[in-house]
Amino acid sequence: MSVIAQISDIHVRPRGRRYQDLVDSNAMFAQAVATLNRLDPAPDFVLISGDLTDEGRPDEYAMLRELLAPLRLPYAVMPGNHDHRRFLREAFADHAWLPREGELHFGIDAGAIRLLALDSTVPGFHHGELSPASLDWLERELVEHARRRVMIALHHPPFATGIPYLDLYGMTNVKPLRDLVARHANVDRIVAGHVHRSMHARLGNVPVLTCPSTTTQIALRLQPDADPASYMEPPAFMLHRWSDDDRDGESSAVSHLCYIGQFDGPLPFA
């Protein structure tokens, strides 16, 4: 069995500052870390899929390292559109998985799963894009690990959400990624963040899932002229689980949406 926990869009701020001057994103992330530490069985790995900070400032990354210190699980972070590559790299210089130059792609073994994190950020902008070099890196990794199940992680999801103010800052060049993934049968799923909501789609035949934020959730407004808005809905994370004990003797995979917080229960029925 392999289990990867995914949290996203944590928007850490300097000490004493609030996200959008309203929400204590640092306290909410601390609660997420405490929740991850209580998981039983413990995940093999934790992935934080971008927007680690709100403004990409060195003092925000210092705060992030402080908030991550209690996490008892192995983890990796990847950049989002609110992050700064150089400052992120400097803050995590002691982590061997992080590239020392260029785009922040990396591959990590998490149990039986090969996790491939692909940097989709465009410095100075909020939309996502994959350079030819990024796609070449991904192709090499998929060929090298052709006998492994692979989960690809992006910050920007490779699909249109239908929420107009989100799609202004979506991924611009999805087709090359779709064509590449179609050539490799070992891609099990693609996960992303960015949209502060749980969404499910497909890229060709591959499932794509997005992870909610540990802070605010973006409003589901589908009207073409909708104004941007968010809600203080329950924060959540994703738990991706692979098992070889399916009823039919085949391996199985499932992704769970897990809310963060205190709720009534457990109740004596299911």
Side-chain angles (χ1 to χ4, degrees):
M1 183 174 71
S2 299
V3 180
I4 298 176
Q6 179 195 2
I7 57 178
S8 198
D9 296 85
I10 59 181
H11 290 276
V12 166
R13 298 292 284 131
R15 188 184 309 279
R17 295 281 302 278
R18 288 176 173 258
Y19 173 54
Q20 301 295 322
D21 295 324
L22 294 171
V23 181
D24 192 348
S25 56
N26 292 2
M28 298 178 80
F29 178 55
Q31 187 180 34
V33 168
T35 299
L36 293 171
N37 282 336
R38 290 194 297 267
L39 291 177
D40 184 16
D44 296 290
F45 202 77
V46 175
L47 172 70
I48 310 178
S49 53
D51 281 0
L52 313 171
T53 65
D54 194 44
E55 296 182 357
R57 296 165 39 162
D59 56 349
E60 291 178 325
Y61 288 110
M63 190 72 243
L64 172 60
R65 290 300 304 260
E66 183 176 328
L67 292 167
L68 279 168
L71 183 61
R72 298 193 295 266
L73 303 165
Y75 71 87
V77 301
M78 56 187 296
N81 51 291
H82 282 259
D83 289 304
H84 188 288
R85 279 183 189 155
R86 179 167 66 86
F87 295 149
L88 189 162
R89 182 181 282 115
E90 291 172 354
F92 290 88
D94 57 326
H95 287 239
W97 44 263
L98 197 64
R100 297 297 179 247
E101 59 183 18
E103 295 165 316
L104 299 180
H105 314 312
F106 57 85
I108 287 179
D109 293 330
I113 301 301
R114 181 67 175 174
L115 168 63
L116 299 180
L118 198 58
D119 183 353
S120 60
T121 64
V122 183
F125 296 90
H126 286 292
H127 71 279
E129 189 174 305
L130 295 176
S131 67
S134 301
L135 294 167
D136 288 344
W137 178 87
L138 178 60
E139 181 112 54
R140 290 194 301 270
E141 284 283 333
L142 290 173
V143 169
E144 181 178 351
H145 299 280
R147 297 182 179 275
R148 304 273 311 271
R149 274 191 175 192
V150 170
M151 183 174 86
I152 297 174
L154 301 156
H155 179 66
H156 300 82
F159 61 82
T161 69
I163 301 175
Y165 48 86
L166 278 180
D167 289 335
L168 289 173
Y169 307 109
M171 184 175 288
T172 60
N173 59 338
V174 172
K175 185 178 184 303
L177 177 64
R178 181 170 58 243
D179 293 345
L180 190 160
V181 167
R183 297 195 294 269
H184 298 277
N186 54 330
V187 179
D188 181 87
R189 66 196 52 214
I190 297 171
V191 300
H194 187 54
V195 294
H196 289 227
R197 294 190 63 84
S198 173
M199 301 184 190
H200 307 260
R202 302 189 76 85
L203 188 68
N205 291 321
V206 177
V208 184
L209 306 100
T210 67
C211 183
S213 171
T214 59
T215 58
T216 57
Q217 311 308 316
I218 288 177
L220 179 60
R221 293 183 170 181
L222 303 176
Q223 303 88 349
D225 58 349
D227 292 326
S230 295
Y231 283 96
M232 288 297 297
E233 296 174 359
F237 65 98
M238 300 296 293
L239 197 69
H240 309 289
R241 181 183 184 273
W242 293 263
S243 175
D244 292 324
D245 58 359
D246 190 62
R247 295 178 184 177
D248 296 325
E250 297 292 332
S251 60
S252 62
V254 62
S255 292
H256 297 272
L257 173 65
C258 308
Y259 295 107
I260 300 167
Q262 299 297 317
F263 307 98
D264 291 344
L267 305 174
F269 57 85

